Amino acid sequence: MRVQLVKPPTHSPVNSSRILRKPGVPLSIMPSYLESSLAKLEEFEGSIPWMYRDTEGNVTVGIGLLLATPAAALRLPFQLASVPATPEAIQAEYARVDALPMGRPALFYRGKDKPELAKSEIDSLLLAVLLGFEGDLRAAIPTYDALPDTVKMALLDMAYNLGPAGLLHGYPRLLKAVAAGDWATAAANCERRGPGAARNAWTREQFLSHVVATIEAVGESALSRLGYGLLGLGATMLDKLRNTR
């Protein structure tokens, strides 16, 4: 079992009412940066297929999906022994977990032969959350669709960890730098309290990777111009030599 499965999420739970009314999103056609974001969020947050209580006492499932009421749990496709769980089984599991002490490792809440979510369902729900966050980012950053994929990944990770409002209202220098395409300044202003050093370092690297890419592109362009210039100079000298014969 991976270590991440028994760690509580490091962000506030995502309210299930925000995404459960949305249609399913085909995972096979999503952009590659969203696929990479899904993988990184699972690595950072952990993916827990059974119901558990987080550090604030919320009944939660998957990658930080808040189940505020038993009705919210009933709207999810929980399975029991590879077949759809009955409404009675889902409600009973919700009540069992909700009665347990809060703030324990997620594995503490796992019961034998209890309803769980398939990984494909967790991924689909997470993707719906990310698409909703993208809508918030797109509304606040007019150039969002033109941003490099690594920058989008960094912003999505921050939005998931902080909530879109926390990112959009708490990091004005970062957003100004993103709007200006100043990736070095963006990297210098993306530090968060809460996530570990490795996660903050990964976020900085996403911004800085485009600094490196930009420098390389500028260097290649300069070398190309220099090469064409030398070719032109060589042709001119050859013409002069011919004319002196």
Side-chain angles (χ1 to χ4, degrees):
M1 179 176 293
R2 295 175 56 191
V3 174
Q4 285 85 354
L5 288 178
V6 298
K7 293 169 61 181
T10 60
H11 67 291
S12 298
V14 178
N15 197 316
S16 61
S17 64
R18 175 168 180 153
I19 65 171
L20 295 181
R21 293 189 295 270
K22 293 188 177 183
V25 182
L27 296 176
S28 59
I29 62 173
M30 64 177 162
S32 59
Y33 71 87
L34 282 178
E35 186 175 5
S36 297
S37 290
L38 285 172
K40 291 306 294 186
L41 281 171
E42 181 176 348
E43 176 185 334
F44 288 139
E45 300 283 354
S47 180
I48 302 166
W50 58 87
M51 295 185 222
Y52 65 96
R53 295 186 75 189
D54 67 9
T55 54
E56 297 181 358
N58 302 298
V59 177
T60 309
V61 73
I63 305 179
L65 179 64
L66 169 66
L67 302 176
T69 65
L74 287 171
R75 290 195 291 268
L76 292 178
F78 280 99
Q79 293 187 339
L80 187 57
S82 300
V83 298
T86 65
E88 293 77 15
I90 295 172
Q91 288 179 310
E93 178 63 0
Y94 187 99
R96 183 188 75 84
V97 171
D98 197 33
L100 293 173
M102 69 180 190
R104 301 290 182 88
L107 188 59
F108 171 82
Y109 301 94
R110 190 178 196 181
K112 183 179 180 181
D113 299 327
K114 300 297 182 182
E116 296 189 2
L117 287 178
K119 184 180 185 303
S120 60
E121 294 294 344
I122 294 174
D123 287 347
S124 183
L125 290 168
L126 178 57
L127 178 58
V129 171
L130 292 181
L131 290 173
F133 287 172
E134 277 208 308
D136 295 330
L137 294 175
R138 194 172 281 113
I141 306 172
T143 59
Y144 179 82
D145 287 322
L147 294 176
D149 284 355
T150 56
V151 173
K152 290 178 183 176
M153 289 171 59
L155 292 174
L156 285 171
D157 185 68
M158 294 184 73
Y160 196 85
N161 178 234
L162 302 165
L167 169 60
L168 296 174
H169 299 300
Y171 290 78
R173 292 181 180 177
L174 168 66
L175 296 177
K176 183 178 180 181
V178 167
D182 184 353
W183 312 124
T185 299
N189 288 277
C190 67
E191 187 82 10
R192 289 161 288 175
R193 294 181 180 178
R199 187 168 185 175
N200 273 319
W202 177 86
T203 304
R204 284 193 301 274
E205 288 169 6
Q206 304 318 297
F207 291 113
L208 292 175
S209 66
H210 201 65
V211 174
V212 174
T214 301
I215 292 172
E216 289 177 346
V218 170
E220 289 177 1
S221 177
L223 287 173
S224 178
R225 289 196 300 271
L226 177 61
Y228 283 124
L230 290 173
L231 286 173
L233 177 60
T236 300
M237 293 180 66
L238 284 173
D239 287 339
K240 288 183 177 181
L241 286 173
R242 291 192 189 101
N243 293 333
T244 58
R245 289 179 180 178

